[in-house]
Amino acid sequence: MPAVRGDGMRGLAVFISDIRNCKSKEAEIKRINKELANIRSKFKGDRTLDGYQKKKYVCKLLFIFLLGHDIDFGHMEAVNLLSSNKYTEKQIGYLFISVLVNANSELLRLIVQSIKNDLSSRNPIHVNLSLQCIANIGSKEMAEAFGGEIPKLLVSGDTIDVVKQSAALCLLRLFRTLPDIIPSGEWTSRIVHLLNDQHMGVVTAATSLIDALVKKNPEEYKGCVSLAVSRLSRIVTASYTDLQDYTYYFVPAPWLSVKLLRLLQNYPPPEDPGVRGRLNECLETILNKAQEPPKSKKVQHSNAKNAVLFEAISLIIHMDSEPNLLVRACNQLGQFLQHRETNLRYLALESMCMLATSEFSHEAVKKHQETVITALKTERDVSVRQRAVDLLYAMCDKTNAEEIVHEMLNYLETADYSIREEMVLKVAILAEKYASDYTWYVDVILNLIRIAGDYVSEEVWYRVIQIVVNREDVQGYAAKTVFEALQAPACHENMVKVGGYILGEFGNLIAGDQRSSPIIQFQLLHSKYHLCAASTRALLLSTYVKFINLFPEIKIQIQDILRSANNLRNADAELQQRASEYLQLSMVASTDVLATVLEEMPPFPERESSILAILKKKKPGRVTNNEVKEHKGSGVTNSTGIDHVTSQGTPSSNSTSIDLLGLSSPPATQVTAPTSNTSFLVDVFGDLYNSSGTNSPAMLNGSGEDNVKKFVCKNSGVLYESDLLQIGVKSEFRQNLGRIGLFYGNKTTLEFTRFTPSISCPGKLATQLSIQVKPVDPIVAGGAQVQQLINIECLEEFTDTPSLVEIGRASCRERV
């Protein structure tokens, strides 16, 4: 009957009803298989199928595909529907192709001609169907086939508005696939002037296209700024009755407004005073409307209104040139901080994080500090609490740093595990950046370790050690504080590391108190020894050997520990080597040598903190670009780690905390020589396991080339010696990186002047090795020694060796 053969497609409706009435998955599959068999037989056997029947069966196949079943036939019937002049049949054909044909299918070649025919059709409905199909497939082949026709269709004066709208969106889709599809030159101005089109739908689609084009080539499309401001002004100043067809719950054209505001964020503030003034008026109007009572209580009205408001605030922050607008935006956001809608509170916190970085609005943001702290404590949503942490970090300065850090530390005890590591980094950065009293900084970092030790990265505790080493005024306080912290029954391993390092360096500053006498310090540290990982035990062994130098009265107890089977025969090679070497050092080295090798760490070189870089890496886009500035006298982070042995010691190549790149190495310093002119380069590790070692120096006379060979299996020794000069070597290597310390000893009683040792890489060696040599003091007193540090990177395999040339004069004008 004619009624049955209408657009309703009764057969499709019956099939869908049967599927819905199936009681089980098996029944559904059985019904689908029956229908597939029927459709396949119709397509193969019945050559007289009309357009309606093809459309009906193709619709059934499409429905079966949407249920999750594979369809491997019917494609040609769908392609045949494209040539139909009936809208419903052509629509189903395009729909089937858009859904089931992938970008790599060979069928695309068959449908290109049909699409071209429809693109050139005078029927706008057919043109729109073809544009939608091109955009849905969006393949490179489609872009190449239609890239020349769609721009013409977009800017043609004969094209009706609805087709222009579809052409703009189709072109945007192809542009994302093939960025070179849109020609430059005169096309640029014609596309930009679509912003002046009378049809709001065309302007909305064109704005999306232009926004994408601007991101690729902002200079070419900068003419869009004035047009975008003009169009935005007309929308903002219009009442909801002026744009009735594009008003959404009393908000005129909210989607277009948002797109225009985003488009303007691709450029700096307009240079033209007229355009700039008009834009500022638009932004002020949007802020004013936000203060007006809502025209509707429905959530759609507030959503549309707030969408435009937040995008306007984003543009104000981007411009960062109008103090009045920035402060007004901050005040408006402050009203949202206590709004009942969670999403609004989140967006307000996020936007205020950006406002806090502006010099014009920073003080206005700080006024909401108490509200943000309350949100941190009471918010149920973890994402909102995380934004509150971000805002506290962004609004922090010298005036409120201690209060904010205190609140963040309090919250850290109950904070969600997902944000603890980020909070630890932020607290560490703020404490260092705004520390006016470094005793407060030490307290903050030790509290961090106590509260969230598992989330304190190595860079954080490295940093506190470096700052303590570099500041004499805080060393005694740090030693006392960490000693008290170690007395807690449950002590985190990072606290043991910090305590071991600081007490090993500055334990003597608190040794006068009977409550922290040398033996008590040693016993307190050693009580944690068996609970720690191998890397921490290695650091504690370094502390013990430091104690031998600081407190000779407990030397025997420490040697007993080093001599114990748990250390000398430990399965960990690092612990075994340290225990053996430190024990040998304590037995064979003289007091002067021991004092030289185990002297206090010199100040670390001035470098910027790496904690901020780590935070940026963990949360890109969430961290302000304000770098942590170095405080005078503070140390810096050593990205490769720090070891407790000074540069005169011998760290093992397996240590995870060795500074191979010299980031923490001290500058070349002059060391006073011991009484003997030759004893300052004693090779105390000449025989690590020979308990009958002597204090005699292990020297090899002869040419330096002969002595070089022994460093194949040794890391330290004498490289060269004459009656005037002795050169000792200490080295450490890891993979292709190495650090070598050269010790130049003046064996005479005369002063060396103009002492300028140099290292050169002759010939091809210059491309195989990268060598950085630190300068030394040009004056070497009689019987004294200076140190020169060399950082080496192996770029390629090499067979030659660098040349070492010593140039200098003794005070009696003898040539050295």
Side-chain angles (χ1 to χ4, degrees):
M1 294 184 298
V4 176
R5 295 173 62 87
D7 290 338
M9 290 188 288
R10 182 177 177 183
L12 175 64
V14 170
F15 173 63
I16 294 175
S17 177
D18 290 347
I19 293 294
R20 289 176 176 174
N21 292 330
C22 290
K23 302 298 184 181
S24 64
K25 186 68 175 177
E26 291 75 14
E28 177 184 312
I29 294 175
K30 183 177 179 181
R31 178 68 182 88
I32 288 173
N33 288 337
K34 178 181 177 182
E35 191 64 37
L36 287 174
N38 177 55
I39 296 172
R40 194 186 299 271
S41 65
K42 291 289 184 181
F43 283 166
K44 284 186 176 181
D46 194 346
R47 301 293 181 183
T48 61
L49 287 177
D50 58 14
Y52 166 78
Q53 290 174 316
K54 288 182 181 179
K55 178 184 71 172
K56 178 179 67 174
Y57 293 134
V58 167
C59 275
K60 288 183 178 181
L61 291 176
L62 186 58
F63 178 71
I64 292 171
F65 175 78
L66 295 178
L67 289 177
H69 300 271
D70 292 332
I71 300 298
D72 56 1
F73 68 98
H75 297 78
M76 289 306 302
E77 284 72 16
V79 171
N80 292 335
L81 287 175
L82 299 183
S83 58
S84 172
N85 288 323
K86 291 185 178 180
Y87 168 75
T88 55
E89 295 175 8
K90 189 182 289 289
Q91 179 195 33
I92 295 301
Y94 274 123
L95 180 62
F96 185 92
I97 290 170
S98 299
V99 174
L100 271 82
V101 176
N102 60 50
N104 300 319
S105 174
E106 294 182 357
L107 278 176
L108 290 181
R109 299 176 182 176
L110 299 176
I111 65 175
V112 165
Q113 189 57 48
S114 297
I115 294 176
K116 283 186 177 180
N117 293 337
D118 286 335
L119 273 181
S120 58
S121 170
R122 294 187 176 183
N123 187 336
I125 294 177
H126 293 177
V127 177
N128 259 359
L129 286 175
S130 62
L131 288 171
Q132 290 165 9
C133 180
I134 294 171
N136 285 333
I137 297 175
S139 64
K140 185 177 179 181
E141 290 74 14
M142 284 288 183
E144 292 172 347
F146 303 105
E149 299 179 29
I150 297 177
K152 296 177 183 178
L153 201 61
L154 176 62
V155 300
S156 173
D158 298 330
T159 307
I160 65 173
D161 293 334
V162 68
V163 175
K164 280 187 179 181
Q165 187 174 349
S166 297
L169 295 177
C170 180
L171 195 57
L172 173 61
R173 175 68 175 88
L174 297 182
F175 172 76
R176 290 170 178 167
T177 303
L178 192 66
D180 297 329
I181 187 176
I182 298 180
S184 56
E186 62 176 295
W187 290 96
T188 300
S189 60
R190 298 177 73 177
I191 292 175
V192 165
H193 275 83
L194 289 173
L195 293 175
N196 272 338
D197 199 277
Q198 296 299 316
H199 192 273
M200 295 291 286
V202 174
V203 179
T204 304
T207 304
S208 298
L209 174 62
I210 294 170
D211 186 54
L213 295 173
V214 163
K215 286 179 170 59
K216 182 190 176 189
N217 194 346
E219 189 63 26
E220 186 174 356
Y221 289 89
K222 65 181 180 180
C224 69
V225 173
S226 58
L227 296 178
V229 172
S230 176
R231 173 63 74 171
L232 180 65
S233 177
R234 278 181 274 169
I235 295 173
V236 169
T237 56
S239 65
Y240 65 90
T241 55
D242 295 338
L243 300 171
Q244 199 161 8
D245 291 340
Y246 286 88
T247 296
Y248 180 77
Y249 286 87
F250 304 100
V251 181
W255 285 278
L256 178 55
S257 300
V258 168
K259 288 176 183 291
L260 290 170
L261 290 165
R262 285 182 181 170
L263 175 61
L264 292 171
Q265 292 175 47
N266 293 305
Y267 292 96
E271 296 178 359
D272 188 314
V275 176
R276 189 166 183 168
R278 197 171 185 182
L279 176 58
N280 289 340
E281 289 177 6
C282 292
L283 296 173
E284 287 180 358
T285 303
I286 293 172
L287 292 175
N288 291 335
K289 286 186 175 181
Q291 300 290 340
E292 296 175 358
K295 293 183 173 63
S296 171
K297 293 183 179 180
K298 292 186 177 181
V299 67
Q300 292 92 335
H301 171 71
S302 61
N303 284 346
K305 187 177 177 181
N306 290 330
V308 177
L309 173 64
F310 276 103
E311 208 59 53
I313 292 175
S314 295
L315 178 57
I316 292 171
I317 296 171
H318 170 76
M319 293 168 58
D320 195 22
S321 59
E322 301 294 332
N324 181 47
L325 289 176
L326 286 164
V327 173
R328 286 196 60 188
C330 180
N331 295 336
Q332 181 63 49
L333 291 172
Q335 298 177 19
F336 289 137
L337 291 179
Q338 296 177 312
H339 200 278
R340 60 186 180 87
E341 284 290 331
T342 303
N343 289 338
L344 281 181
R345 296 197 301 273
Y346 178 95
L347 291 171
L349 289 168
E350 188 174 47
S351 297
M352 289 185 80
C353 286
M354 302 302 297
L355 279 172
T357 63
S358 171
E359 60 177 327
F360 302 117
S361 55
H362 183 80
E363 290 300 321
V365 172
K366 284 171 58 179
K367 294 178 181 178
H368 303 282
Q369 179 177 321
E370 293 301 323
T371 306
V372 178
I373 291 174
T374 302
L376 183 65
K377 296 176 180 178
T378 59
E379 274 290 347
R380 295 182 180 180
D381 193 312
V382 61
S383 61
V384 180
R385 294 197 297 272
Q386 189 164 359
R387 293 291 80 76
V389 171
D390 292 341
L391 181 53
L392 286 175
Y393 174 78
M395 70 167 61
C396 188
D397 59 21
K398 289 183 179 180
T399 63
N400 59 5
E402 293 194 16
E403 182 181 356
I404 286 178
V405 168
H406 175 72
E407 293 293 346
M408 292 177 77
L409 281 173
N410 288 341
Y411 174 66
L412 190 57
E413 298 191 35
T414 56
D416 302 84
Y417 294 109
S418 59
I419 65 174
R420 285 194 178 188
E421 185 175 2
E422 181 186 345
M423 284 193 66
V424 166
L425 289 173
K426 288 183 173 179
V427 170
I429 290 171
L430 294 179
E432 179 186 346
K433 186 176 182 179
Y434 300 113
S436 55
D437 179 4
Y438 275 89
T439 58
W440 172 74
Y441 170 75
V442 171
D443 288 337
V444 168
I445 301 301
L446 294 184
N447 270 332
L448 272 183
I449 297 174
R450 178 183 60 82
I451 295 170
D454 289 337
Y455 302 90
V456 175
S457 63
E458 288 185 337
E459 288 78 11
V460 174
W461 71 264
Y462 287 169
R463 188 65 174 166
V464 69
I465 285 174
Q466 292 163 354
I467 288 179
V468 169
V469 168
N470 282 25
R471 299 191 65 90
E472 293 184 5
D473 57 327
V474 80
Q475 291 168 357
Y477 180 81
K480 178 177 179 294
T481 306
V482 79
F483 176 80
E484 294 172 353
L486 286 172
Q487 293 176 347
C491 189
H492 195 273
E493 189 165 335
N494 281 336
M495 185 72 77
V496 178
K497 292 177 181 178
V498 174
Y501 196 104
I502 291 179
L503 291 180
E505 294 292 334
F506 312 113
N508 60 308
L509 300 178
I510 61 171
D513 190 337
Q514 291 300 317
R515 293 170 295 180
S516 56
S517 63
I519 188 63
I520 292 178
Q521 291 184 40
F522 171 66
Q523 290 172 348
L524 178 61
L525 284 174
H526 196 61
S527 66
K528 317 289 183 183
Y529 185 83
H530 66 287
L531 301 173
C532 298
S535 60
T536 307
R537 293 187 187 186
L539 187 144
L540 288 178
L541 290 179
S542 298
T543 299
Y544 298 166
V545 77
K546 285 273 191 174
F547 276 175
I548 292 177
N549 180 47
L550 292 177
F551 314 122
E553 62 269 26
I554 62 173
K555 177 178 180 179
I556 296 176
Q557 292 93 322
I558 294 175
Q559 285 179 334
D560 290 341
I561 297 298
L562 295 175
R563 194 180 287 114
S564 66
N566 287 339
N567 289 322
L568 280 183
R569 293 178 175 81
N570 197 291
D572 188 281
E574 170 73 11
L575 293 178
Q576 184 184 121
Q577 182 177 355
R578 290 200 181 204
S580 302
E581 293 178 356
Y582 294 161
L583 178 61
Q584 192 75 354
L585 174 65
S586 68
M587 294 191 307
V588 306
S590 66
T591 305
D592 290 335
V593 172
L594 204 60
T596 301
V597 174
L598 302 176
E599 67 178 346
E600 184 180 303
M601 282 290 289
F604 290 88
E606 298 288 343
R607 281 190 176 88
E608 293 183 353
S609 173
S610 67
I611 302 178
L612 183 63
I614 297 170
L615 182 60
K616 285 182 179 180
K617 188 181 296 184
K618 290 184 178 296
K619 296 291 290 182
R622 294 287 185 193
V623 184
T624 59
N625 292 325
N626 300 333
E627 295 182 355
V628 178
K629 302 299 182 184
E630 285 299 319
H631 299 282
K632 186 175 181 180
S634 68
V636 293
T637 297
N638 166 13
S639 60
T640 55
I642 51 176
D643 196 8
H644 198 52
V645 185
T646 65
S647 58
Q648 286 86 355
T650 311
S652 167
S653 59
N654 293 330
S655 173
T656 59
S657 58
I658 291 175
D659 177 18
L660 284 176
L661 298 180
L663 295 181
S664 64
S665 55
T669 55
Q670 185 164 317
V671 182
T672 303
T675 306
S676 169
N677 288 340
T678 57
S679 62
F680 55 77
L681 278 175
V682 173
D683 187 1
V684 295
F685 302 141
D687 186 0
L688 295 178
Y689 296 93
N690 184 1
S691 60
S692 61
T694 65
N695 288 348
S696 61
M699 301 178 184
L700 291 178
N701 294 321
S703 68
E705 294 182 3
D706 293 335
N707 287 351
V708 167
K709 296 178 182 178
K710 72 176 182 181
F711 294 104
V712 173
C713 56
K714 295 181 65 175
N715 288 333
S716 60
V718 177
L719 174 65
Y720 170 83
E721 185 172 12
S722 69
D723 294 337
L724 302 178
L725 180 69
Q726 183 187 56
I727 304 176
V729 175
K730 295 285 185 181
S731 60
E732 51 180 324
F733 300 94
R734 181 182 294 172
Q735 296 178 359
N736 68 321
L737 303 177
R739 185 177 69 172
I740 296 177
L742 295 180
F743 301 88
Y744 304 105
N746 183 355
K747 297 178 65 175
T748 71
T749 57
L750 305 173
E751 184 181 75
F752 287 170
T753 59
R754 290 184 287 174
F755 182 69
T756 54
S758 63
I759 295 177
S760 62
C761 295
K764 189 178 179 181
L765 191 63
T767 62
Q768 297 169 335
L769 287 179
S770 173
I771 297 181
Q772 297 178 350
V773 182
K774 295 192 177 181
V776 298
D777 194 330
I779 298 176
V780 185
Q785 171 184 305
V786 293
Q787 173 190 347
Q788 184 176 39
L789 289 177
I790 306 165
N791 296 323
I792 303 175
E793 181 180 5
C794 177
L795 306 176
E796 301 177 14
E797 292 184 0
F798 64 96
T799 55
D800 297 331
T801 56
S803 301
L804 172 62
V805 180
E806 312 293 339
I807 300 176
R809 290 185 181 275
S811 58
C812 62
R813 299 301 179 187
E814 284 190 55
R815 181 74 173 177
V816 178

